[in-house]
Amino acid sequence: LITITMQLKLVRTMWGVFDHTNPLPHEWEPTLKKLKEEGYEAIECCVGPFNCFASNKDLFQSLRAKYGMDLIMQAHTCSYPVSSRVVADHIASLRESVKDAKTWGAVMVNSHSGSDTWSMKQNIEFFKACLEIEKEEGIPIAHETHRRRVLYNPWTTRDILQELPSLKVTADLSHWVVVAERVFDEKYDDDWPAILDVLATNVNLIHARVGYAQGPQVPDPSAPEYSAEVSSHLSWWRGIWQGMAKRGMTIAYVEPEHGPAPYLHTLPHTEAPVADLWKVNSWVGRQVARHFKETTF
């Protein structure tokens, strides 16, 4: 057993809560208050043009301090949708985003990094530069396992992490599930346990969204028909927590990150959501907290 106390810090995404095009600053305080009451200790929002709090930075910072919320900022190299395939452009974009995130007092940058079109040589060139930026700026940069980006599948990610073992990762395994069109099964995917072990040595943040074979987000994870997917994701997160503890980490940031439409399913014609997004993420947060408490480190 690892003799270390690792604290769970639940993070809440601002995706689907506030939007940079309609920031609703009068709702910031009641929202942060509600999150604090639900046990959340951090939030994640975008850096740069998608920052939903940019309209009143001083107000946001005062409220964040009042409710004791850590801040994780999400970067998108070369924006979203991705505007360039040139490695140098993505390096410059990340550097700019990281500098911006530091002015907000972020504890970490979560980055949608690079392009899924790159060769392994380009991937390594890019991530070596990312490690230099991280060293120069003095802030952790975790690169998300996200579709359209370099770490969009488990096999490429494994190979990169074996080449660059100090690279930090945000594990959003729902993307891998839909990319591979399956919930990973050790009988078929006999390399999955080893991939998860490699990943666990590099994760700084978990995006706790439950995916399924045909999409990155089940409509409602509390529904019994998705119990198998929920169980699999929870077991993967538990393995990552154990790897984080072995590395001596004292904080596990875990973020329920079910998102709005088109991630959240809607009814045809009316576009009415099939589930309440706030309730969905709160439900996931409760499952995470319970299973973390039951995990042996």
Side-chain angles (χ1 to χ4, degrees):
L1 297 180
I2 306 301
T3 55
I4 184 172
T5 301
M6 186 170 68
Q7 173 193 2
L8 171 67
K9 280 198 173 185
L10 283 174
V11 186
R12 193 62 162 251
T13 178
M14 293 294 97
W15 179 38
V17 180
F18 297 118
D19 187 89
H20 69 287
T21 62
N22 186 24
L24 304 174
H26 62 283
E27 294 185 11
W28 295 355
E29 180 159 18
T31 300
L32 292 184
K33 183 175 185 290
K34 186 176 181 181
L35 288 175
K36 194 70 175 179
E37 291 168 352
E38 289 192 21
Y40 287 80
E41 297 181 77
I43 59 172
E44 180 176 8
C45 72
C46 291
V47 72
F50 301 128
N51 187 338
C52 58
F53 298 113
S55 63
N56 196 330
K57 186 176 183 179
D58 290 342
L59 173 62
F60 169 70
Q61 294 291 46
S62 67
L63 291 173
R64 188 167 73 82
K66 179 177 179 179
Y67 292 100
M69 292 284 178
D70 290 349
L71 178 64
I72 296 170
M73 300 203 82
Q74 184 175 119
H76 306 82
T77 64
C78 290
S79 194
Y80 181 84
V82 185
S83 60
S84 172
R85 294 187 182 186
V86 178
V87 172
D89 292 345
H90 284 264
I91 294 169
S93 175
L94 180 64
R95 180 176 282 108
E96 180 182 358
S97 293
V98 171
K99 288 181 180 295
D100 187 2
K102 287 175 65 179
T103 72
W104 288 78
V107 298
M108 183 193 318
V109 172
N110 168 43
S111 179
H112 291 198
S113 297
S115 170
D116 59 1
T117 64
W118 288 346
S119 66
M120 184 56 71
K121 181 180 178 181
Q122 289 172 303
N123 291 339
I124 298 300
E125 176 190 354
F126 170 71
F127 282 125
K128 282 183 175 179
C130 293
L131 289 170
E132 286 300 313
I133 293 171
E134 183 177 53
K135 183 178 178 181
E136 291 166 8
E137 298 297 336
I139 183 172
I141 305 172
H143 304 273
E144 187 171 341
T145 59
H146 203 290
R147 289 168 299 151
R148 198 171 188 157
R149 300 296 187 163
V150 174
L151 304 183
Y152 73 98
N153 76 75
W155 303 282
T156 298
T157 303
R158 173 199 57 199
D159 295 346
I160 290 171
L161 293 180
Q162 288 175 339
E163 181 80 14
L164 299 172
S166 61
L167 196 71
K168 296 176 179 65
V169 173
T170 296
D172 187 337
L173 303 181
S174 67
H175 288 288
W176 287 356
V177 168
V178 66
V179 164
E181 202 177 18
R182 61 187 181 275
V183 174
F184 299 101
D185 180 343
E186 293 180 21
K187 293 179 181 178
Y188 178 77
D189 298 293
D190 56 4
D191 54 354
W192 177 245
I195 290 172
L196 204 58
D197 285 345
V198 171
L199 188 68
T201 65
N202 296 77
V203 171
N204 268 44
L205 170 66
I206 293 174
H207 274 185
R209 188 172 59 247
V210 179
Y212 68 116
Q214 303 306 327
Q217 177 172 308
V218 298
D220 185 343
S222 70
E225 57 266 35
Y226 297 110
S227 61
E229 285 85 355
V230 170
S231 178
S232 291
H233 283 72
L234 281 166
S235 72
W236 300 338
W237 301 336
R238 187 181 299 113
I240 292 171
W241 297 333
Q242 290 169 333
M244 295 171 82
K246 288 179 182 177
R247 287 153 54 198
M249 296 189 71
T250 56
I251 296 174
Y253 286 104
V254 185
E255 179 179 343
E257 209 225 5
H258 284 245
Y263 274 62
L264 179 60
H265 290 202
T266 58
L267 297 176
H269 306 294
T270 66
E271 297 187 345
V274 301
D276 183 307
L277 183 60
W278 185 277
K279 290 180 179 178
V280 164
N281 278 323
S282 293
W283 184 90
V284 173
R286 291 193 298 273
Q287 308 314 304
V288 165
R290 179 167 66 86
H291 281 79
F292 186 90
K293 188 175 181 180
E294 295 171 354
T295 301
T296 302
F297 299 117

